């Protein structure tokens, strides 16, 4: 009777699931989560910041604040995922040749699963959502995204997924089935615990949030461009945002379907992907990679957009081959849906199918190669400044072509037969995702940071971070190419071949360097914040920027632009600086501006989502039902809210705008040679 | 620049594999792996046409157009050249076209489902059938013609096409012998096929590459390629080993690692078909799930 009652209240959850884990490292991580959570709560209470957090951030519908919150999530989760990578590499190096285990095989399985899941869904995806959220309206001359409330809901579902995956560190275990969660290993018969359920619900929550965000981005680009901003005048970053948004809209639903069907298998004894009773895991592989392959382009296209902006700005030159780059981006977006089957060349389909999908995959190499050449030609005849974002771009260009080569090798079934599931594959996708995606996002973070916060990041620490990330990347992944060719497989907690040992040690050093690179980013942020007065660039254009976002104060006002800009060409702001007077007083009439009113509903939806998902994971049915009903209840409540906007009077707008313009007129225009000194207050002198 | 230096290191590491291989795909011991290695080198050579210019041009441009040099040919508005455009689109298109042709030929030459045409072997000579069953965490090999079976040791005659039929009795696994080539998934309820051959007698490592639980890393097996006559002698000796009966098979299916390779002198002739048949219809064994509930 008691046990029956406890099941109704606590589901499968027992005391033994809390905090204490299979080994010291896992227990330490589990305790750390709890300690950090308590510390944050204490700090907020101590400094009396709860009201501020709620009013300024958690209820805000401002795309800029939402963008910043996405990137904060990304950095927090990155700390976790890099630490996990360190533990895995240490385990492999220690256990090589039959040495001692650091974490054991079961925990190792959880580590590679959470590392992959976190890095893809809770580091890379929030980072790109954050960058696009912040920049897109500024770059196309809009006040906000089309659906500010939906935007906040997307963010809430993303952090709900992230919280759930952090909870799994402390309560129970996570899946060992890899970030792709291939059944039948993840079916109930082989993974009976709560781990796979954690994976399913964290990914489903964030997947739905991302779908909403993708719709929002696409609609915003189609509908909210300022007068004169034709599609072919948009900055390249907006083009990549558009392609990414379209990919999200088409690619995320298959993921949600796949994870939902897997949930039906596990919860209601369906047989979509089980070994027997008519199940077939190949259907899962098709659905998952129908999402998974476009996903890698969802991740990398915004980074391509960042590179286009960074390289053009720091070369002091127009982007070479704008039309080529747009065409190449679109080609990649379309082709990304034609190649998913290269993820399972070895599943036994016919040679013709393998050849066709190999060919389709290689086709992507053409527009990608064109992009690399276009960026190099953008530097050609320019005036290159080796700023930290530009240094990341240079590492990217050198390493990306190596990743391209390994990608072509993997896209050829004859070679893929030998490299599938090997460390060569691991090296390849990290080669694309670290210099390609992550370096792009870090460069974008450093490049646009002064826009968001009004002060530059410390340049010296930026270069140190670049050095560590670059050295760390090559040291960590070059050995994996060799190991893969020697026949070492991924997801092995230990290897027995002594020939692997030196490579594993180099890879461990690389992982440590990458971790140091992350620490350098944190140090950079702390140092810059302490010196924010010396680094301040309130006028808003510290890098001689080219697109509209630089024609705003730093940070921009809530309404972005006092009057929506009118553009006549690509790089409108750069032209205005050379030929006109962008900071001239904007006389004439200012109008009232309507902005979305703050609301706490998205945050409540996120919290209800966590309750629902947690209840499902532990079979606490009352909690799952309450959470689910609450999620929809809050959404319905929103539809009854009639006062969703508030008006900012024209006088306020005029005052703020004219003050900024007059400050800009009084400031000295700073030449590029001294843009990293305190003299740079955010008004750039264009190169001549 | 550190970036450039490290790229160089990476290249040395990549090309250095030819020396440091330890039983990998760059050290082929059979015709399939041979084709894979050749294909690898062809792809690297062809793609080099596209990527080497990057390694040459980028350092030069970075040096020549740095801000402090005050280059006189600064052209901030230069953004297009039709001739360059033809080259940067055209050359990759040509390279991919050639690659596609090479791919088409080789993908069919080593199609896992296609019998191998071996040198010095008369056309139409029958391959040796071997049935491989992926189990948690071991491989069972059944020799239907010899009526014997082994666990975690694959003994084959050198110079002869081995025709594998594969399935799994457990989660999905992937069968791979790096020095002989190929790789194919083994899935419950399904039959996949693979053809491999060893050029000469020797010993190789084989493994499962698809994660299937805690002892995944221990699911490897020895491959011994023997001269044909020795293979026949080995098979004859193997027949005196104890049989693989129902009870023993049930024990093998349980998740475990066998300490050393096993040999069975007799096998039910239709064991492989039965293993596949187990998962058809509605009678899939869910023993672990039930135990967990």
């Amino acid at each position: 009777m008691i046990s029956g009652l406890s099941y109704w209240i606590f589901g499968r959850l027992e005391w033994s699931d809390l905090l204490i884990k299979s080994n010291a490292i896992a227990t330490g991580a589990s305790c750390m989560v709890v300690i950090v959570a308590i510390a944050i709560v204490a700090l907020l209470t101590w400094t009396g910041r709860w009201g501020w957090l709620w009013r300024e951030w958690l209820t805000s519908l401002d795309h800029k604040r939402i963008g910043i919150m996405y990137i904060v999530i990304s950095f927090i989760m990155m700390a976790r995922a890099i630490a996990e990578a360190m533990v895995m590499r240490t385990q492999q190096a220690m256990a090589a040749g039959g040495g001692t285990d650091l974490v054991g095989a079961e925990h190792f399985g959880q580590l590679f699963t959470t590392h992959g899941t976190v890095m893809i869904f809770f580091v890379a995806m929030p980072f790109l959502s954050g960058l696009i959220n912040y920049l897109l309206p500024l770059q196309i001359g809009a006040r906000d995204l089309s659906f500010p409330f939906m935007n906040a809901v997307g963010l809430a579902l993303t952090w709900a997924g992230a919280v759930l995956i952090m909870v799994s560190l402390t309560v129970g275990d996570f899946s060992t089935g890899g970030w792709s969660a291939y059944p039948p290993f993840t079916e109930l018969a082989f993974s009976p615990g709560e781990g796979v359920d954690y994976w399913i619900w964290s990914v489903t929550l964030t997947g739905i949030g991302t779908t909403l965000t993708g719709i929002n981005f696409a609609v915003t680009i189609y509908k909210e461009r300022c007068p004169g901003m034709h599609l072919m005048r948009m900055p390249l970053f907006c083009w990549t945002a558009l392609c990414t948004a379209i990919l999200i809209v088409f690619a995320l639903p298959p993921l949600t379907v796949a994870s939902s069907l897997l949930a039906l298998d596990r919860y209601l004894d369906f047989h979509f992907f089980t070994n027997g009773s008519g199940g077939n895991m190949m259907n899962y592989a098709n659905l998952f990679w129908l999402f998974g392959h476009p996903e890698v382009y969802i991740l990398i296209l915004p980074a391509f957009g960042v590179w286009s902006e960074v390289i053009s700005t720091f070369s002091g030159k127009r982007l070479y081959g704008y039309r080529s780059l747009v065409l190449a981006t679109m080609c990649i977006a379309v082709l990304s849906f034609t190649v998913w089957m290269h993820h399972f060349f070895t599943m036994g389909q016919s040679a013709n199918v393998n050849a066709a999908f190999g060919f389709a995959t290689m086709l992507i190499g053409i527009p990608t190669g064109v992009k690399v050449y276009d960026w190099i030609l953008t530097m050609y005849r320019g005036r290159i400044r080796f700023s930290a974002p530009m240094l990341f771009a240079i590492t990217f260009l050198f390493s990306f072509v190596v990743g391209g080569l390994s990608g072509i090798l993997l896209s050829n079934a004859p070679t893929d037969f030998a490299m599938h599931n090997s460390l060569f594959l691991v090296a390849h996708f990290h080669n694309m995702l670290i210099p390609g995606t992550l370096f792009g996002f870090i460069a974008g973070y450093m490049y646009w940071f002064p826009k968001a916060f009004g002060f530059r990041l410390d340049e010296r620490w930026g270069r140190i971070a670049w050095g560590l990330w670059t050295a760390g990347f090559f040291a960590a992944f070059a050995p994996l190419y060799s190991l893969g060719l020697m026949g070492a497989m991924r997801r092995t907690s230990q290897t027995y071949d002594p020939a692997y040992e030196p490579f594993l040690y180099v890879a461990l050093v690389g992982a440590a360097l990458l971790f140091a690179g992350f620490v350098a980013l944190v140090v950079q942020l702390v140092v810059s914040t302490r010196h924010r007065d010396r680094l301040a660039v309130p006028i808003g254009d510290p890098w001689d920027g080219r697109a509209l976002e630089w024609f705003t104060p730093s940070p921009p006002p809530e309404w972005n632009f006092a009057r929506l800009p009118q553009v006549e060409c690509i790089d409108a702001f750069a032209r205005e600086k050379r030929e006109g007077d962008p900071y001239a007083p904007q006389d004439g009439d200012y109008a009232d501006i309507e902005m979305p009113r703050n609301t706490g509903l998205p945050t409540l939806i996120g919290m209800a989502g966590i309750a629902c998902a947690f209840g499902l994971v532990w079979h606490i049915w009352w909690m799952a039902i309450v959470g689910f009903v609450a999620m929809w209840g809050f959404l319905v409540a929103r539809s009854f809210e009639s006062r969703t906007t508030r008006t900012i009077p024209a006088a306020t707008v005029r005052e703020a705008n004219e003050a900024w313009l007059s400050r800009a007129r009084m400031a000295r225009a700073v030449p590029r040679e001294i843009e990293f000194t305190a003299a740079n207050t955010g008004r750039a002198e264009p190169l001549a | 620049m550190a970036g450039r230096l490290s790229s160089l290191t990476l290249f040395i590491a990549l090309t250095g594999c030819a020396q440091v291989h330890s039983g990998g795909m760059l050290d082929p011991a059979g015709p399939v792996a041979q084709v894979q290695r050749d294909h690898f080198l062809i792809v690297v050579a062809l793609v080099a046409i596209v990527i080497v210019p990057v390694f040459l041009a980028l350092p030069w441009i970075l040096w020549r157009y740095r801000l402090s040099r005050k280059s006189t040919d600064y052209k901030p508005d230069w953004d297009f050249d039709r001739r360059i455009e033809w080259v940067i689109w055209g050359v990759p298109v040509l390279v991919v076209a050639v690659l596609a042709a090479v791919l088409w030929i080789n993908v069919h030459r080593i199609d896992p489902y296609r019998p191998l045409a071996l040198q010095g072997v008369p056309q139409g000579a029958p391959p040796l059938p071997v049935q491989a069953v992926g189990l948690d965490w071991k491989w069972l090999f059944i020799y239907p013609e010899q009526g014997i079976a082994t666990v975690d040791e694959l003994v084959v005659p050198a110079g002869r096409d081995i025709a594998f039929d594969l399935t799994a009795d457990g989660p999905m696994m992937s069968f791979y012998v790096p020095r002989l080539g190929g790789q194919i998934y083994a899935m419950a309820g399904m039959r996949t096929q693979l053809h491999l051959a060893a050029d000469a007698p020797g010993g190789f490592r084989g493994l499962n590459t698809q994660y299937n639980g805690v002892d995944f890393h221990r699911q490897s097996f020895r491959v011994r390629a023997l001269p044909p006559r020795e293979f026949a002698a080995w098979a004859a000796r193997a027949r005196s080993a104890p049989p693989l009966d129902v009870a023993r098979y049930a024990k093998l299916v349980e998740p475990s690692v066998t300490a050393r390779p096993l040999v069975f002198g007799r096998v039910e002739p239709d064991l492989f078909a039965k293993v596949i048949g187990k998962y058809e219809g509605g009678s899939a064994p869910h023993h672990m799930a039930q135990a967990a509930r």
Side-chain angles (χ1 to χ4, degrees):
Chain A
M1 190 61 208
I2 301 286
S3 78
L5 185 68
S6 110
Y7 179 81
W8 281 106
I9 299 172
F10 298 113
R12 296 192 298 181
L13 193 57
E14 287 169 25
W15 285 112
S16 55
D17 290 316
L18 304 177
L19 214 56
I20 304 302
K21 303 288 157 165
S22 57
N23 62 59
I25 290 196
T27 309
S30 161
C31 295
M32 198 138 83
V33 171
V34 176
I35 292 167
V36 169
I38 293 172
I40 291 172
V41 170
L43 191 72
L44 286 168
T45 313
W46 184 263
T47 55
R49 292 263 181 156
W50 282 106
W52 163 82
L53 185 67
W54 180 257
R55 279 190 310 275
E56 300 284 314
W57 293 94
L58 294 180
T59 59
S60 176
L61 298 192
D62 183 346
H63 71 92
K64 298 185 282 300
R65 304 218 157 191
I66 291 176
I68 290 167
M69 284 188 276
Y70 266 120
I71 292 172
V72 169
I73 296 175
S74 174
F75 269 102
I76 293 170
M77 300 304 279
M78 202 192 302
R80 172 180 173 180
I82 292 183
E84 286 173 334
M86 275 288 293
V87 175
M88 284 192 285
R89 285 275 161 264
T90 312
Q91 154 73 24
Q92 285 186 328
M94 273 175 68
T100 44
D101 269 345
L102 180 68
V103 292
E106 166 74 22
H107 186 202
F108 189 86
Q110 291 183 42
L111 283 171
F112 68 67
T113 307
T114 46
H115 171 80
T117 309
V118 167
M119 279 293 192
I120 297 284
F121 293 106
F122 300 105
V123 174
M125 293 298 279
F127 214 137
L128 78 88
S129 295
L131 282 176
I132 297 176
N133 240 304
Y134 196 93
L135 288 162
L136 180 60
L138 288 169
Q139 285 201 328
I140 61 172
R143 297 216 189 287
D144 205 335
L145 294 179
S146 289
F147 310 114
F149 180 80
M150 189 163 96
N151 194 25
V153 173
L155 171 73
L157 294 176
T158 301
W159 60 246
V163 167
L164 192 67
I165 217 168
M166 292 310 274
V167 165
S168 80
L169 209 49
T170 295
V171 186
D173 291 322
F174 202 73
S175 166
T176 58
W179 80 279
S180 51
Y182 264 19
F185 183 67
T186 50
E187 71 162 293
L188 214 46
F190 305 108
S191 299
E194 67 283 355
V196 180
D197 303 324
Y198 266 127
W199 182 88
I200 288 174
W201 299 117
S202 60
V203 164
T204 304
L205 276 176
T206 183
I208 295 169
T210 307
T211 310
L212 298 178
T213 307
I215 295 168
N216 212 345
F217 290 158
V219 174
T220 305
I221 293 174
Y222 289 133
K223 300 303 250 188
E224 306 287 335
R225 280 168 287 131
C226 68
M229 180 65 80
H230 304 164
L231 284 174
M232 291 309 281
R233 287 178 187 167
M234 291 199 304
L236 231 284
F237 182 79
C238 295
W239 267 106
T240 57
L242 176 60
C243 292
T244 291
I246 296 170
L247 291 184
I248 286 175
V249 171
F250 284 94
L252 266 291
L255 171 72
T256 308
V257 169
S259 63
S260 308
L261 297 184
L262 187 60
L264 287 173
D265 273 8
R266 292 177 60 86
Y267 284 82
L268 296 172
D269 212 11
F270 281 40
H271 289 277
F272 289 112
F273 311 126
T274 56
N275 260 352
S277 307
N280 189 334
M281 79 71 59
M282 285 161 74
N283 293 331
Y284 181 92
N286 273 292
L287 274 173
F288 184 84
W289 292 113
L290 200 54
F291 145 78
H293 201 84
E295 168 70 8
V296 302
Y297 296 97
I298 291 171
L299 298 178
I300 209 163
L301 285 177
F304 286 175
V306 173
W307 296 131
S308 302
E309 307 289 297
V310 164
I311 289 174
S312 144
T313 298
F314 288 107
S315 303
K317 199 162 151 284
R318 281 174 82 140
L319 204 53
Y320 174 88
Y322 176 86
R323 278 163 188 279
S324 241
L325 282 164
V326 170
L327 181 67
T329 308
M330 274 303 193
C331 285
I332 293 170
V334 172
L335 286 173
S336 71
F337 280 102
T338 64
V339 302
W340 78 92
M341 212 175 270
H342 70 214
H343 290 271
F344 42 96
F345 279 151
T346 58
M347 217 174 255
Q349 59 262 34
S350 79
N352 288 343
V353 170
N354 281 353
F357 278 83
F359 177 60
T361 309
M362 286 196 286
L363 282 180
I364 294 187
I366 298 170
T368 314
V370 167
K371 274 170 168 276
V372 170
Y373 287 126
D374 280 348
W375 288 318
I376 292 175
L377 287 162
T378 301
M379 299 177 183
Y380 180 63
R381 293 174 169 174
R383 292 223 161 126
I384 302 165
R385 290 114 68 193
F386 295 96
S387 63
M390 192 65 179
L391 292 173
F392 274 106
I394 292 163
T395 304
F396 157 74
L397 287 170
F398 278 115
S399 55
F400 194 68
V401 290
V402 177
L405 165 63
S406 59
I408 298 276
L409 283 165
L410 285 163
S411 76
N412 280 254
T415 30
D416 179 73
F417 286 148
M419 296 162 172
H420 183 75
N421 275 344
S422 78
L423 288 178
F424 189 94
L425 165 86
V426 174
H428 163 71
F429 71 71
H430 284 87
N431 196 337
M432 299 324 249
L433 287 177
I434 293 180
T437 296
L438 199 57
F439 283 10
F441 292 169
I442 293 173
Y445 153 79
M446 291 181 177
Y447 177 62
W448 280 299
F449 186 90
K451 178 53 45 195
F453 294 98
F455 58 95
R456 284 175 283 121
L457 287 166
D458 183 80
E459 181 66 16
R460 200 168 63 95
W461 274 102
R463 290 174 192 216
I464 292 171
W466 163 77
L468 290 168
W469 277 97
T470 299
F473 161 73
F474 284 110
F477 296 103
L480 300 200
Y481 277 121
S482 305
L483 282 170
L485 292 174
M486 289 155 71
M489 291 300 131
R490 65 173 175 173
R491 295 176 180 173
T492 40
S493 58
Q494 50 184 288
T495 50
Y496 300 100
D497 193 330
Y500 295 170
E501 272 182 67
F503 294 89
L504 290 170
Y505 282 116
V506 176
L508 173 61
V509 171
L513 287 171
L514 287 173
F515 188 75
F518 179 78
V519 172
L521 286 181
V522 176
V523 173
Q524 183 195 33
L525 185 61
V526 173
V527 168
S528 314
T529 310
R530 288 176 65 183
H531 298 156
R532 58 187 175 280
D533 295 336
R534 183 146 48 83
L535 296 166
V537 286
I539 294 159
D541 180 28
W543 313 128
D544 190 15
R546 311 183 66 80
L548 284 180
E549 79 269 25
W550 301 108
F551 185 46
T552 56
S554 291
E558 188 190 355
W559 51 84
N560 291 353
F561 301 96
R563 261 174 297 183
L564 290 184
Q566 164 90 40
V567 295
E568 270 105 43
C569 59
I570 304 173
D571 292 349
F573 181 50
R575 196 168 92 168
E576 186 68 14
K577 277 189 288 187
R578 272 203 307 178
E579 296 171 7
D581 181 9
Y583 300 111
Q586 296 177 356
D587 293 330
D589 47 332
Y590 283 84
D592 291 353
I593 296 175
E594 282 213 332
M595 296 305 293
R597 186 185 290 275
N598 283 17
T599 167
L601 285 174
T603 298
L604 296 177
I605 289 174
M607 279 148 66
I610 295 172
C612 175
F614 188 81
L616 284 167
V617 168
W618 291 100
H619 296 195
I620 310 171
W621 305 117
W622 64 266
M623 191 190 276
I625 293 166
V626 168
F628 186 78
V629 172
M631 278 170 94
W632 286 102
F634 292 134
L635 214 52
V636 172
R638 171 71 179 178
S639 64
F640 286 97
E641 240 177 76
S642 51
R643 298 190 314 141
T644 55
T645 60
R646 71 198 161 87
T647 306
I648 293 158
T652 313
V653 177
R654 170 200 290 273
E655 195 183 333
N657 199 47
E658 293 299 331
W660 165 58
L661 289 173
S662 77
R663 228 176 331 138
R665 279 197 301 279
M666 284 194 295
R668 191 160 70 95
V670 169
R672 295 305 87 206
E673 283 80 2
I674 56 166
E675 67 183 335
F676 299 116
T677 66
N680 186 357
T681 57
R683 183 172 168 189
E685 178 185 284
L687 283 165
Chain B
M1 312 244 11
R4 237 172 292 158
L5 257 179
S6 341
S7 320
L8 192 70
T9 325
L10 176 59
F11 255 76
I12 293 165
L14 268 175
T15 47
C17 303
Q19 276 81 51
V20 298
H21 57 69
S22 163
M25 60 103 64
L26 293 183
D27 182 21
V32 177
Q34 183 70 47
V35 172
Q36 291 177 334
R37 210 255 324 245
D38 294 349
H39 194 85
F40 180 95
L41 297 176
I42 293 169
V43 172
V44 171
L46 283 170
V47 176
I49 297 171
V50 178
I51 67 174
V52 167
V54 172
F55 283 91
L56 299 177
L58 190 49
W60 178 73
I61 288 174
L62 290 174
W63 179 254
R64 189 178 158 87
Y65 293 101
R66 67 193 189 278
L67 178 68
S68 57
R69 187 173 164 271
K70 297 268 171 258
S71 62
T72 47
D73 56 346
Y74 174 51
K75 295 223 164 46
D77 286 334
W78 180 78
D79 70 350
F80 191 72
D81 184 312
R82 194 173 296 278
R83 286 161 304 171
I84 294 180
E85 215 62 13
W86 274 105
V87 174
I88 62 177
W89 282 93
V91 172
V93 166
L94 289 178
V95 167
V96 168
V98 176
L99 277 173
V102 180
L103 167 65
W104 182 265
I105 294 165
N106 281 339
V107 90
H108 283 88
R109 262 173 80 194
I110 57 166
D111 178 7
Y113 282 65
R114 190 170 128 168
L116 299 169
L118 298 174
Q119 274 182 338
V121 177
Q123 199 82 68
L128 174 77
V130 174
Q131 297 161 337
V133 184
L135 304 169
D136 272 333
W137 294 282
K138 57 196 96 60
W139 287 99
L140 167 68
F141 301 107
I142 303 166
Y143 295 76
E145 281 181 1
Q146 284 74 17
I148 56 174
T150 58
V151 170
D152 281 352
E153 183 178 55
L154 175 64
V155 183
V156 295
R160 187 166 170 196
D161 182 5
I162 317 296
F164 290 95
D165 282 325
L166 299 103
T167 193
D169 200 350
M172 181 171 70
M173 297 171 212
S174 190
F175 175 92
Y176 181 31
V177 184
R179 289 193 63 197
L180 297 187
Q183 173 166 183
I184 202 92
Y185 276 109
M187 294 174 279
M190 295 178 234
R191 185 182 73 123
T192 45
Q193 286 175 265
L194 177 67
H195 287 264
L196 293 179
D199 287 332
F204 318 104
R205 185 178 68 108
L207 67 164
N208 161 33
T209 75
Q210 173 70 29
Y211 187 81
N212 59 341
V214 284
D215 278 323
F216 157 68
H217 59 279
R218 294 170 72 184
Q219 191 174 354
S220 60
F221 56 93
R222 245 181 349 172
V223 183
R224 272 200 293 154
L226 304 176
R229 203 171 307 145
E230 279 183 40
F231 173 77
W234 169 82
R237 269 202 314 280
R239 274 187 210 105
S240 59
L244 178 59
D245 51 29
V246 176
R248 268 179 217 274
Y249 181 77
K251 198 115 182 73
L252 277 181
V253 175
E254 295 294 314
S256 67
V257 178
T258 41
R260 64 185 50 157
L262 309 173
V263 182
F264 299 101
R266 209 150 32 78
V267 199
E268 272 184 85
D270 55 350
L271 177 61
F272 188 80
K274 273 188 181 161
V275 170
I276 293 182
K278 231 166 120 170
Y279 294 95
E280 284 169 358
S283 60
H286 266 102
H287 54 276
M288 282 172 73
Q290 266 138 25
R293 269 174 189 159

